[in-house]
PDB file of all heavy atoms in Angstrom:
ATOM      1  N   PRO E   1      86.405 180.822 312.738  1.00  0.00           N
ATOM      2  CA  PRO E   1      86.333 179.878 311.622  1.00  0.00           C
ATOM      3  C   PRO E   1      87.655 179.741 310.876  1.00  0.00           C
ATOM      4  O   PRO E   1      88.017 178.649 310.453  1.00  0.00           O
ATOM      5  CB  PRO E   1      85.239 180.469 310.721  1.00  0.00           C
ATOM      6  CG  PRO E   1      84.413 181.324 311.619  1.00  0.00           C
ATOM      7  CD  PRO E   1      85.373 181.866 312.641  1.00  0.00           C
ATOM      8  N   GLN E   2      88.390 180.849 310.719  1.00  0.00           N
ATOM      9  CA  GLN E   2      89.680 180.773 310.022  1.00  0.00           C
ATOM     10  C   GLN E   2      90.659 179.902 310.803  1.00  0.00           C
ATOM     11  O   GLN E   2      91.332 179.048 310.226  1.00  0.00           O
ATOM     12  CB  GLN E   2      90.285 182.176 309.855  1.00  0.00           C
ATOM     13  CG  GLN E   2      89.604 183.030 308.818  1.00  0.00           C
ATOM     14  CD  GLN E   2      90.218 184.416 308.776  1.00  0.00           C
ATOM     15  OE1 GLN E   2      90.445 185.043 309.809  1.00  0.00           O
ATOM     16  NE2 GLN E   2      90.483 184.908 307.582  1.00  0.00           N
ATOM     17  N   LEU E   3      90.747 180.140 312.107  1.00  0.00           N
ATOM     18  CA  LEU E   3      91.693 179.382 312.922  1.00  0.00           C
ATOM     19  C   LEU E   3      91.282 177.919 313.002  1.00  0.00           C
ATOM     20  O   LEU E   3      92.121 177.018 312.900  1.00  0.00           O
ATOM     21  CB  LEU E   3      91.801 179.999 314.312  1.00  0.00           C
ATOM     22  CG  LEU E   3      92.851 179.383 315.245  1.00  0.00           C
ATOM     23  CD1 LEU E   3      94.224 179.341 314.584  1.00  0.00           C
ATOM     24  CD2 LEU E   3      92.919 180.158 316.546  1.00  0.00           C
ATOM     25  N   GLU E   4      89.992 177.663 313.166  1.00  0.00           N
ATOM     26  CA  GLU E   4      89.520 176.282 313.202  1.00  0.00           C
ATOM     27  C   GLU E   4      89.773 175.593 311.863  1.00  0.00           C
ATOM     28  O   GLU E   4      90.155 174.424 311.811  1.00  0.00           O
ATOM     29  CB  GLU E   4      88.033 176.228 313.570  1.00  0.00           C
ATOM     30  CG  GLU E   4      87.798 176.543 315.038  1.00  0.00           C
ATOM     31  CD  GLU E   4      86.321 176.668 315.399  1.00  0.00           C
ATOM     32  OE1 GLU E   4      85.462 176.546 314.501  1.00  0.00           O
ATOM     33  OE2 GLU E   4      86.044 176.893 316.587  1.00  0.00           O
ATOM     34  N   GLY E   5      89.567 176.331 310.779  1.00  0.00           N
ATOM     35  CA  GLY E   5      89.839 175.783 309.451  1.00  0.00           C
ATOM     36  C   GLY E   5      91.310 175.452 309.274  1.00  0.00           C
ATOM     37  O   GLY E   5      91.661 174.404 308.711  1.00  0.00           O
ATOM     38  N   LEU E   6      92.172 176.341 309.747  1.00  0.00           N
ATOM     39  CA  LEU E   6      93.604 176.091 309.665  1.00  0.00           C
ATOM     40  C   LEU E   6      93.987 174.857 310.485  1.00  0.00           C
ATOM     41  O   LEU E   6      94.779 174.016 310.039  1.00  0.00           O
ATOM     42  CB  LEU E   6      94.375 177.324 310.158  1.00  0.00           C
ATOM     43  CG  LEU E   6      95.894 177.254 310.131  1.00  0.00           C
ATOM     44  CD1 LEU E   6      96.401 177.003 308.717  1.00  0.00           C
ATOM     45  CD2 LEU E   6      96.493 178.537 310.699  1.00  0.00           C
ATOM     46  N   CYS E   7      93.400 174.730 311.679  1.00  0.00           N
ATOM     47  CA  CYS E   7      93.680 173.561 312.530  1.00  0.00           C
ATOM     48  C   CYS E   7      93.219 172.269 311.844  1.00  0.00           C
ATOM     49  O   CYS E   7      93.922 171.254 311.890  1.00  0.00           O
ATOM     50  CB  CYS E   7      92.976 173.697 313.882  1.00  0.00           C
ATOM     51  SG  CYS E   7      93.669 174.986 314.926  1.00  0.00           S
ATOM     52  N   CYS E   8      92.049 172.324 311.221  1.00  0.00           N
ATOM     53  CA  CYS E   8      91.551 171.142 310.499  1.00  0.00           C
ATOM     54  C   CYS E   8      92.458 170.820 309.323  1.00  0.00           C
ATOM     55  O   CYS E   8      92.773 169.648 309.069  1.00  0.00           O
ATOM     56  CB  CYS E   8      90.118 171.363 310.019  1.00  0.00           C
ATOM     57  SG  CYS E   8      88.914 171.372 311.354  1.00  0.00           S
ATOM     58  N   PHE E   9      92.879 171.850 308.589  1.00  0.00           N
ATOM     59  CA  PHE E   9      93.763 171.642 307.441  1.00  0.00           C
ATOM     60  C   PHE E   9      95.069 170.979 307.882  1.00  0.00           C
ATOM     61  O   PHE E   9      95.580 170.086 307.215  1.00  0.00           O
ATOM     62  CB  PHE E   9      94.043 172.980 306.748  1.00  0.00           C
ATOM     63  CG  PHE E   9      95.031 172.873 305.627  1.00  0.00           C
ATOM     64  CD1 PHE E   9      94.661 172.316 304.402  1.00  0.00           C
ATOM     65  CD2 PHE E   9      96.338 173.326 305.786  1.00  0.00           C
ATOM     66  CE1 PHE E   9      95.574 172.207 303.364  1.00  0.00           C
ATOM     67  CE2 PHE E   9      97.256 173.216 304.756  1.00  0.00           C
ATOM     68  CZ  PHE E   9      96.873 172.657 303.541  1.00  0.00           C
ATOM     69  N   LEU E  10      95.600 171.429 309.015  1.00  0.00           N
ATOM     70  CA  LEU E  10      96.850 170.857 309.539  1.00  0.00           C
ATOM     71  C   LEU E  10      96.625 169.547 310.289  1.00  0.00           C
ATOM     72  O   LEU E  10      97.581 168.923 310.735  1.00  0.00           O
ATOM     73  CB  LEU E  10      97.540 171.867 310.467  1.00  0.00           C
ATOM     74  CG  LEU E  10      98.014 173.164 309.818  1.00  0.00           C
ATOM     75  CD1 LEU E  10      98.524 174.134 310.885  1.00  0.00           C
ATOM     76  CD2 LEU E  10      99.090 172.886 308.783  1.00  0.00           C
ATOM     77  N   GLN E  11      95.347 169.164 310.479  1.00  0.00           N
ATOM     78  CA  GLN E  11      94.967 167.937 311.186  1.00  0.00           C
ATOM     79  C   GLN E  11      95.598 167.886 312.584  1.00  0.00           C
ATOM     80  O   GLN E  11      96.124 166.867 313.017  1.00  0.00           O
ATOM     81  CB  GLN E  11      95.356 166.704 310.368  1.00  0.00           C
ATOM     82  CG  GLN E  11      94.647 166.639 309.033  1.00  0.00           C
ATOM     83  CD  GLN E  11      95.027 165.423 308.208  1.00  0.00           C
ATOM     84  OE1 GLN E  11      96.072 164.815 308.405  1.00  0.00           O
ATOM     85  NE2 GLN E  11      94.161 165.077 307.284  1.00  0.00           N
ATOM     86  N   LEU E  12      95.498 169.004 313.288  1.00  0.00           N
ATOM     87  CA  LEU E  12      96.143 169.116 314.596  1.00  0.00           C
ATOM     88  C   LEU E  12      95.521 168.206 315.645  1.00  0.00           C
ATOM     89  O   LEU E  12      96.202 167.749 316.554  1.00  0.00           O
ATOM     90  CB  LEU E  12      96.110 170.564 315.086  1.00  0.00           C
ATOM     91  CG  LEU E  12      96.945 171.550 314.268  1.00  0.00           C
ATOM     92  CD1 LEU E  12      96.822 172.945 314.837  1.00  0.00           C
ATOM     93  CD2 LEU E  12      98.403 171.119 314.196  1.00  0.00           C
ATOM     94  N   SER E  13      94.210 167.941 315.528  1.00  0.00           N
ATOM     95  CA  SER E  13      93.574 167.120 316.556  1.00  0.00           C
ATOM     96  C   SER E  13      93.996 165.658 316.489  1.00  0.00           C
ATOM     97  O   SER E  13      93.808 164.914 317.450  1.00  0.00           O
ATOM     98  CB  SER E  13      92.050 167.237 316.468  1.00  0.00           C
ATOM     99  OG  SER E  13      91.599 166.717 315.236  1.00  0.00           O
ATOM    100  N   THR E  14      94.583 165.260 315.371  1.00  0.00           N
ATOM    101  CA  THR E  14      94.998 163.852 315.220  1.00  0.00           C
ATOM    102  C   THR E  14      96.474 163.710 314.860  1.00  0.00           C
ATOM    103  O   THR E  14      96.919 162.607 314.531  1.00  0.00           O
ATOM    104  CB  THR E  14      94.153 163.156 314.137  1.00  0.00           C
ATOM    105  OG1 THR E  14      94.285 163.874 312.905  1.00  0.00           O
ATOM    106  CG2 THR E  14      92.691 163.085 314.542  1.00  0.00           C
ATOM    107  N   CYS E  15      97.217 164.787 314.901  1.00  0.00           N
ATOM    108  CA  CYS E  15      98.635 164.696 314.511  1.00  0.00           C
ATOM    109  C   CYS E  15      99.395 163.823 315.510  1.00  0.00           C
ATOM    110  O   CYS E  15      98.991 163.685 316.674  1.00  0.00           O
ATOM    111  CB  CYS E  15      99.258 166.081 314.425  1.00  0.00           C
ATOM    112  SG  CYS E  15      99.477 166.913 316.008  1.00  0.00           S
ATOM    113  N   PRO E  16     100.495 163.212 315.080  1.00  0.00           N
ATOM    114  CA  PRO E  16     101.294 162.395 316.004  1.00  0.00           C
ATOM    115  C   PRO E  16     101.785 163.229 317.192  1.00  0.00           C
ATOM    116  O   PRO E  16     102.084 164.418 317.053  1.00  0.00           O
ATOM    117  CB  PRO E  16     102.466 161.927 315.138  1.00  0.00           C
ATOM    118  CG  PRO E  16     102.005 162.079 313.728  1.00  0.00           C
ATOM    119  CD  PRO E  16     101.042 163.227 313.727  1.00  0.00           C
ATOM    120  N   GLU E  17     101.855 162.604 318.346  1.00  0.00           N
ATOM    121  CA  GLU E  17     102.190 163.352 319.568  1.00  0.00           C
ATOM    122  C   GLU E  17     103.583 163.983 319.553  1.00  0.00           C
ATOM    123  O   GLU E  17     103.748 165.085 320.077  1.00  0.00           O
ATOM    124  CB  GLU E  17     101.979 162.463 320.788  1.00  0.00           C
ATOM    125  CG  GLU E  17     100.490 162.214 321.020  1.00  0.00           C
ATOM    126  CD  GLU E  17     100.183 161.321 322.192  1.00  0.00           C
ATOM    127  OE1 GLU E  17     101.125 160.839 322.853  1.00  0.00           O
ATOM    128  OE2 GLU E  17      98.984 161.095 322.460  1.00  0.00           O
ATOM    129  N   PRO E  18     104.611 163.345 318.965  1.00  0.00           N
ATOM    130  CA  PRO E  18     105.906 164.051 318.897  1.00  0.00           C
ATOM    131  C   PRO E  18     105.808 165.362 318.105  1.00  0.00           C
ATOM    132  O   PRO E  18     106.421 166.362 318.472  1.00  0.00           O
ATOM    133  CB  PRO E  18     106.825 163.040 318.188  1.00  0.00           C
ATOM    134  CG  PRO E  18     106.225 161.705 318.526  1.00  0.00           C
ATOM    135  CD  PRO E  18     104.741 161.947 318.529  1.00  0.00           C
ATOM    136  N   PHE E  19     105.001 165.381 317.038  1.00  0.00           N
ATOM    137  CA  PHE E  19     104.784 166.618 316.293  1.00  0.00           C
ATOM    138  C   PHE E  19     104.060 167.639 317.157  1.00  0.00           C
ATOM    139  O   PHE E  19     104.343 168.834 317.094  1.00  0.00           O
ATOM    140  CB  PHE E  19     103.987 166.334 315.019  1.00  0.00           C
ATOM    141  CG  PHE E  19     103.605 167.589 314.279  1.00  0.00           C
ATOM    142  CD1 PHE E  19     104.527 168.258 313.484  1.00  0.00           C
ATOM    143  CD2 PHE E  19     102.332 168.138 314.405  1.00  0.00           C
ATOM    144  CE1 PHE E  19     104.186 169.435 312.817  1.00  0.00           C
ATOM    145  CE2 PHE E  19     101.983 169.306 313.753  1.00  0.00           C
ATOM    146  CZ  PHE E  19     102.908 169.960 312.950  1.00  0.00           C
ATOM    147  N   LEU E  20     103.110 167.163 317.966  1.00  0.00           N
ATOM    148  CA  LEU E  20     102.350 168.039 318.856  1.00  0.00           C
ATOM    149  C   LEU E  20     103.285 168.787 319.806  1.00  0.00           C
ATOM    150  O   LEU E  20     103.119 169.979 320.048  1.00  0.00           O
ATOM    151  CB  LEU E  20     101.328 167.217 319.638  1.00  0.00           C
ATOM    152  CG  LEU E  20     100.347 167.959 320.527  1.00  0.00           C
ATOM    153  CD1 LEU E  20      99.446 168.865 319.702  1.00  0.00           C
ATOM    154  CD2 LEU E  20      99.507 166.973 321.320  1.00  0.00           C
ATOM    155  N   VAL E  21     104.284 168.087 320.322  1.00  0.00           N
ATOM    156  CA  VAL E  21     105.254 168.729 321.226  1.00  0.00           C
ATOM    157  C   VAL E  21     106.000 169.836 320.492  1.00  0.00           C
ATOM    158  O   VAL E  21     106.145 170.953 321.000  1.00  0.00           O
ATOM    159  CB  VAL E  21     106.250 167.686 321.787  1.00  0.00           C
ATOM    160  CG1 VAL E  21     107.333 168.359 322.616  1.00  0.00           C
ATOM    161  CG2 VAL E  21     105.516 166.649 322.629  1.00  0.00           C
ATOM    162  N   ARG E  22     106.474 169.534 319.282  1.00  0.00           N
ATOM    163  CA  ARG E  22     107.201 170.548 318.501  1.00  0.00           C
ATOM    164  C   ARG E  22     106.296 171.727 318.150  1.00  0.00           C
ATOM    165  O   ARG E  22     106.708 172.887 318.227  1.00  0.00           O
ATOM    166  CB  ARG E  22     107.786 169.925 317.227  1.00  0.00           C
ATOM    167  CG  ARG E  22     108.918 168.962 317.483  1.00  0.00           C
ATOM    168  CD  ARG E  22     109.746 168.679 316.242  1.00  0.00           C
ATOM    169  NE  ARG E  22     108.963 168.208 315.116  1.00  0.00           N
ATOM    170  CZ  ARG E  22     108.680 166.940 314.859  1.00  0.00           C
ATOM    171  NH1 ARG E  22     109.117 166.006 315.672  1.00  0.00           N
ATOM    172  NH2 ARG E  22     107.970 166.609 313.795  1.00  0.00           N
ATOM    173  N   PHE E  23     105.051 171.427 317.789  1.00  0.00           N
ATOM    174  CA  PHE E  23     104.115 172.485 317.439  1.00  0.00           C
ATOM    175  C   PHE E  23     103.876 173.409 318.633  1.00  0.00           C
ATOM    176  O   PHE E  23     103.853 174.632 318.489  1.00  0.00           O
ATOM    177  CB  PHE E  23     102.799 171.878 316.944  1.00  0.00           C
ATOM    178  CG  PHE E  23     101.836 172.895 316.413  1.00  0.00           C
ATOM    179  CD1 PHE E  23     102.022 173.455 315.155  1.00  0.00           C
ATOM    180  CD2 PHE E  23     100.746 173.301 317.165  1.00  0.00           C
ATOM    181  CE1 PHE E  23     101.142 174.406 314.662  1.00  0.00           C
ATOM    182  CE2 PHE E  23      99.858 174.244 316.672  1.00  0.00           C
ATOM    183  CZ  PHE E  23     100.054 174.797 315.422  1.00  0.00           C
ATOM    184  N   CYS E  24     103.709 172.827 319.821  1.00  0.00           N
ATOM    185  CA  CYS E  24     103.507 173.655 321.025  1.00  0.00           C
ATOM    186  C   CYS E  24     104.738 174.506 321.314  1.00  0.00           C
ATOM    187  O   CYS E  24     104.612 175.660 321.740  1.00  0.00           O
ATOM    188  CB  CYS E  24     103.157 172.771 322.218  1.00  0.00           C
ATOM    189  SG  CYS E  24     101.456 172.163 322.158  1.00  0.00           S
ATOM    190  N   SER E  25     105.915 173.972 321.079  1.00  0.00           N
ATOM    191  CA  SER E  25     107.145 174.765 321.260  1.00  0.00           C
ATOM    192  C   SER E  25     107.148 175.960 320.320  1.00  0.00           C
ATOM    193  O   SER E  25     107.523 177.078 320.711  1.00  0.00           O
ATOM    194  CB  SER E  25     108.379 173.906 321.000  1.00  0.00           C
ATOM    195  OG  SER E  25     108.472 172.886 321.955  1.00  0.00           O
ATOM    196  N   TRP E  26     106.739 175.749 319.082  1.00  0.00           N
ATOM    197  CA  TRP E  26     106.656 176.854 318.128  1.00  0.00           C
ATOM    198  C   TRP E  26     105.621 177.879 318.568  1.00  0.00           C
ATOM    199  O   TRP E  26     105.847 179.080 318.460  1.00  0.00           O
ATOM    200  CB  TRP E  26     106.300 176.338 316.734  1.00  0.00           C
ATOM    201  CG  TRP E  26     107.369 175.497 316.097  1.00  0.00           C
ATOM    202  CD1 TRP E  26     108.718 175.585 316.283  1.00  0.00           C
ATOM    203  CD2 TRP E  26     107.158 174.431 315.161  1.00  0.00           C
ATOM    204  NE1 TRP E  26     109.367 174.625 315.534  1.00  0.00           N
ATOM    205  CE2 TRP E  26     108.438 173.910 314.830  1.00  0.00           C
ATOM    206  CE3 TRP E  26     106.035 173.858 314.575  1.00  0.00           C
ATOM    207  CZ2 TRP E  26     108.601 172.853 313.937  1.00  0.00           C
ATOM    208  CZ3 TRP E  26     106.194 172.812 313.671  1.00  0.00           C
ATOM    209  CH2 TRP E  26     107.462 172.326 313.367  1.00  0.00           C
ATOM    210  N   LEU E  27     104.480 177.395 319.062  1.00  0.00           N
ATOM    211  CA  LEU E  27     103.438 178.317 319.527  1.00  0.00           C
ATOM    212  C   LEU E  27     103.955 179.220 320.640  1.00  0.00           C
ATOM    213  O   LEU E  27     103.674 180.417 320.677  1.00  0.00           O
ATOM    214  CB  LEU E  27     102.218 177.548 320.035  1.00  0.00           C
ATOM    215  CG  LEU E  27     101.279 176.942 319.019  1.00  0.00           C
ATOM    216  CD1 LEU E  27     100.172 176.154 319.728  1.00  0.00           C
ATOM    217  CD2 LEU E  27     100.667 178.000 318.111  1.00  0.00           C
ATOM    218  N   LEU E  28     104.706 178.624 321.564  1.00  0.00           N
ATOM    219  CA  LEU E  28     105.192 179.400 322.710  1.00  0.00           C
ATOM    220  C   LEU E  28     106.215 180.441 322.300  1.00  0.00           C
ATOM    221  O   LEU E  28     106.413 181.428 322.998  1.00  0.00           O
ATOM    222  CB  LEU E  28     105.787 178.464 323.764  1.00  0.00           C
ATOM    223  CG  LEU E  28     104.805 177.470 324.385  1.00  0.00           C
ATOM    224  CD1 LEU E  28     105.489 176.649 325.465  1.00  0.00           C
ATOM    225  CD2 LEU E  28     103.591 178.167 324.968  1.00  0.00           C
ATOM    226  N   ALA E  29     106.864 180.220 321.157  1.00  0.00           N
ATOM    227  CA  ALA E  29     107.887 181.164 320.693  1.00  0.00           C
ATOM    228  C   ALA E  29     107.299 182.310 319.869  1.00  0.00           C
ATOM    229  O   ALA E  29     108.003 183.265 319.553  1.00  0.00           O
ATOM    230  CB  ALA E  29     108.928 180.411 319.865  1.00  0.00           C
ATOM    231  N   LEU E  30     106.015 182.217 319.521  1.00  0.00           N
ATOM    232  CA  LEU E  30     105.408 183.259 318.699  1.00  0.00           C
ATOM    233  C   LEU E  30     105.357 184.588 319.428  1.00  0.00           C
ATOM    234  O   LEU E  30     105.135 184.651 320.632  1.00  0.00           O
ATOM    235  CB  LEU E  30     103.975 182.868 318.315  1.00  0.00           C
ATOM    236  CG  LEU E  30     103.797 181.765 317.289  1.00  0.00           C
ATOM    237  CD1 LEU E  30     102.321 181.453 317.123  1.00  0.00           C
ATOM    238  CD2 LEU E  30     104.404 182.150 315.958  1.00  0.00           C
ATOM    239  N   THR E  31     105.574 185.664 318.670  1.00  0.00           N
ATOM    240  CA  THR E  31     105.368 187.010 319.202  1.00  0.00           C
ATOM    241  C   THR E  31     104.517 187.773 318.208  1.00  0.00           C
ATOM    242  O   THR E  31     104.747 187.666 317.006  1.00  0.00           O
ATOM    243  CB  THR E  31     106.706 187.742 319.429  1.00  0.00           C
ATOM    244  OG1 THR E  31     107.460 187.714 318.237  1.00  0.00           O
ATOM    245  CG2 THR E  31     107.498 187.122 320.554  1.00  0.00           C
ATOM    246  N   PRO E  32     103.565 188.534 318.631  1.00  0.00           N
ATOM    247  CA  PRO E  32     103.111 188.619 320.025  1.00  0.00           C
ATOM    248  C   PRO E  32     102.430 187.325 320.468  1.00  0.00           C
ATOM    249  O   PRO E  32     102.179 186.445 319.646  1.00  0.00           O
ATOM    250  CB  PRO E  32     102.108 189.773 319.988  1.00  0.00           C
ATOM    251  CG  PRO E  32     101.582 189.759 318.583  1.00  0.00           C
ATOM    252  CD  PRO E  32     102.730 189.312 317.711  1.00  0.00           C
ATOM    253  N   ASP E  33     102.132 187.246 321.759  1.00  0.00           N
ATOM    254  CA  ASP E  33     101.438 186.069 322.285  1.00  0.00           C
ATOM    255  C   ASP E  33     100.080 185.912 321.608  1.00  0.00           C
ATOM    256  O   ASP E  33      99.493 186.876 321.120  1.00  0.00           O
ATOM    257  CB  ASP E  33     101.216 186.207 323.797  1.00  0.00           C
ATOM    258  CG  ASP E  33     102.516 186.085 324.579  1.00  0.00           C
ATOM    259  OD1 ASP E  33     103.547 185.707 323.985  1.00  0.00           O
ATOM    260  OD2 ASP E  33     102.484 186.360 325.789  1.00  0.00           O
ATOM    261  N   LEU E  34      99.597 184.689 321.622  1.00  0.00           N
ATOM    262  CA  LEU E  34      98.261 184.420 321.090  1.00  0.00           C
ATOM    263  C   LEU E  34      97.211 185.165 321.912  1.00  0.00           C
ATOM    264  O   LEU E  34      97.384 185.353 323.123  1.00  0.00           O
ATOM    265  CB  LEU E  34      97.954 182.925 321.166  1.00  0.00           C
ATOM    266  CG  LEU E  34      98.836 181.998 320.328  1.00  0.00           C
ATOM    267  CD1 LEU E  34      98.556 180.552 320.704  1.00  0.00           C
ATOM    268  CD2 LEU E  34      98.603 182.228 318.854  1.00  0.00           C
ATOM    269  N   SER E  35      96.145 185.560 321.258  1.00  0.00           N
ATOM    270  CA  SER E  35      95.028 186.150 321.997  1.00  0.00           C
ATOM    271  C   SER E  35      94.364 185.055 322.822  1.00  0.00           C
ATOM    272  O   SER E  35      94.550 183.860 322.561  1.00  0.00           O
ATOM    273  CB  SER E  35      94.004 186.748 321.027  1.00  0.00           C
ATOM    274  OG  SER E  35      93.336 185.708 320.311  1.00  0.00           O
ATOM    275  N   TYR E  36      93.561 185.469 323.793  1.00  0.00           N
ATOM    276  CA  TYR E  36      92.833 184.503 324.620  1.00  0.00           C
ATOM    277  C   TYR E  36      91.976 183.596 323.731  1.00  0.00           C
ATOM    278  O   TYR E  36      91.963 182.380 323.884  1.00  0.00           O
ATOM    279  CB  TYR E  36      91.953 185.259 325.623  1.00  0.00           C
ATOM    280  CG  TYR E  36      91.099 184.355 326.474  1.00  0.00           C
ATOM    281  CD1 TYR E  36      91.546 183.903 327.702  1.00  0.00           C
ATOM    282  CD2 TYR E  36      89.840 183.930 326.031  1.00  0.00           C
ATOM    283  CE1 TYR E  36      90.775 183.052 328.480  1.00  0.00           C
ATOM    284  CE2 TYR E  36      89.069 183.080 326.799  1.00  0.00           C
ATOM    285  CZ  TYR E  36      89.534 182.643 328.018  1.00  0.00           C
ATOM    286  OH  TYR E  36      88.767 181.797 328.770  1.00  0.00           O
ATOM    287  N   THR E  37      91.263 184.189 322.786  1.00  0.00           N
ATOM    288  CA  THR E  37      90.367 183.428 321.912  1.00  0.00           C
ATOM    289  C   THR E  37      91.145 182.424 321.066  1.00  0.00           C
ATOM    290  O   THR E  37      90.739 181.263 320.942  1.00  0.00           O
ATOM    291  CB  THR E  37      89.568 184.385 321.003  1.00  0.00           C
ATOM    292  OG1 THR E  37      88.865 185.311 321.824  1.00  0.00           O
ATOM    293  CG2 THR E  37      88.585 183.630 320.134  1.00  0.00           C
ATOM    294  N   SER E  38      92.257 182.864 320.485  1.00  0.00           N
ATOM    295  CA  SER E  38      93.072 181.953 319.668  1.00  0.00           C
ATOM    296  C   SER E  38      93.627 180.816 320.506  1.00  0.00           C
ATOM    297  O   SER E  38      93.629 179.654 320.081  1.00  0.00           O
ATOM    298  CB  SER E  38      94.218 182.715 319.000  1.00  0.00           C
ATOM    299  OG  SER E  38      93.718 183.637 318.070  1.00  0.00           O
TER     300      SER E  38
END
């Protein structure tokens, strides 16, 4: 629920696609890696 709430707050499901690319780049740079569930 926390992660889904954060995604809704950031409006990730409808964000512009160029932002989506940058967001995915940031995700890949995170350490440690995301859990399977996240």
Side-chain angles (χ1 to χ4, degrees):
Q2 287 177 314
L3 185 53
E4 287 173 358
L6 181 59
C7 291
C8 289
F9 175 75
L10 296 173
Q11 298 180 339
L12 293 179
S13 64
T14 57
C15 70
E17 290 179 359
F19 174 79
L20 186 63
V21 175
R22 291 197 305 271
F23 187 77
C24 285
S25 295
W26 293 330
L27 284 177
L28 297 183
L30 288 176
T31 53
D33 289 350
L34 296 170
S35 69
Y36 177 92
T37 303
S38 294

